Amino acid sequence: MVSRLNPYLSFNGDARQALEFYQEVFGGTLTLNTYGDFGQAEAPNADKIMHGMLETAGGFTLMGADNPPGMESAPGQPFSVSLSGDDAAELTGYWEKLSEGGSVSVPLEKQMWGDVFGMCTDRFGVPWMVNISTAES
C-alpha cells in the first residue's frame, strides 16, 4: 500500500451526519466504524463514529471521527493531517521528525484495532495522526 496523506476531521458527536453529507457532495464509498464495533458496545458513545473514511472516484480521501468523551475538539482546530500506510520504516521516520520539538498526545504504538498509531502536534501547532497498517489488521 502506498502511503497516503489526507485531512482527518474531528467532530463532537455528528461525524456520521457530516461524513454522509460529504459523500452526497463528492460521491464515493463511505466506510463507518463505531466505538461499539471496536469492543465498546456498552459505552455511552457506542453508536458514535470511531473512524470513518470516504474514498471518491476522483482520488479524494477524507477521514473523520467523533471525539471520545473528555476529548472535545478545540475551536478552530477540528482537523488533523493523517499519514497512513504499511511502510513502517517510512511512516516511523515521518513520525519521529514531526514529533521532534512538538508534543505527543498518543504515543506511536500498537492499538486495539491492530495497527500502530500515534498522535502528535508538530512544533508549528499542526496536529498529525500516523497509522501504520499491520499484517494482522
Side-chain angles (χ1 to χ4, degrees):
M1 170 186 357
V2 175
S3 295
R4 145 188 352 208
L5 179 130
N6 62 272
Y8 200 107
L9 305 177
S10 299
F11 299 93
N12 285 323
D14 57 355
R16 179 182 304 275
Q17 295 87 338
L19 292 169
E20 288 173 348
F21 169 73
Y22 298 136
Q23 182 183 31
E24 290 174 21
V25 172
F26 300 112
T29 303
L30 178 61
T31 305
L32 298 173
N33 299 101
T34 65
Y35 285 93
D37 294 336
F38 286 98
Q40 298 180 18
E42 303 303 318
N45 64 336
D47 64 332
K48 299 299 180 192
I49 302 303
M50 182 176 179
H51 176 70
M53 181 167 66
L54 175 63
E55 295 182 285
T56 73
F60 298 159
T61 299
L62 180 64
M63 296 181 190
D66 287 310
N67 290 314
M71 192 173 177
E72 304 305 315
S73 64
Q77 266 200 334
F79 75 94
S80 294
V81 181
S82 172
L83 281 169
S84 58
D86 59 7
D87 187 328
E90 176 185 47
L91 292 165
T92 300
Y94 293 149
W95 168 265
E96 290 169 354
K97 291 173 185 174
L98 288 165
S99 61
E100 185 178 339
S103 63
V104 172
S105 55
V106 176
L108 187 65
E109 59 190 21
K110 189 165 185 161
Q111 301 296 323
M112 67 181 162
W113 60 89
D115 292 351
V116 173
F117 175 82
M119 294 172 60
C120 69
T121 300
D122 70 23
R123 65 181 184 224
F124 300 103
V126 175
W128 292 87
M129 304 167 77
V130 175
N131 191 87
I132 305 168
S133 299
T134 58
E136 44 300 343
S137 59

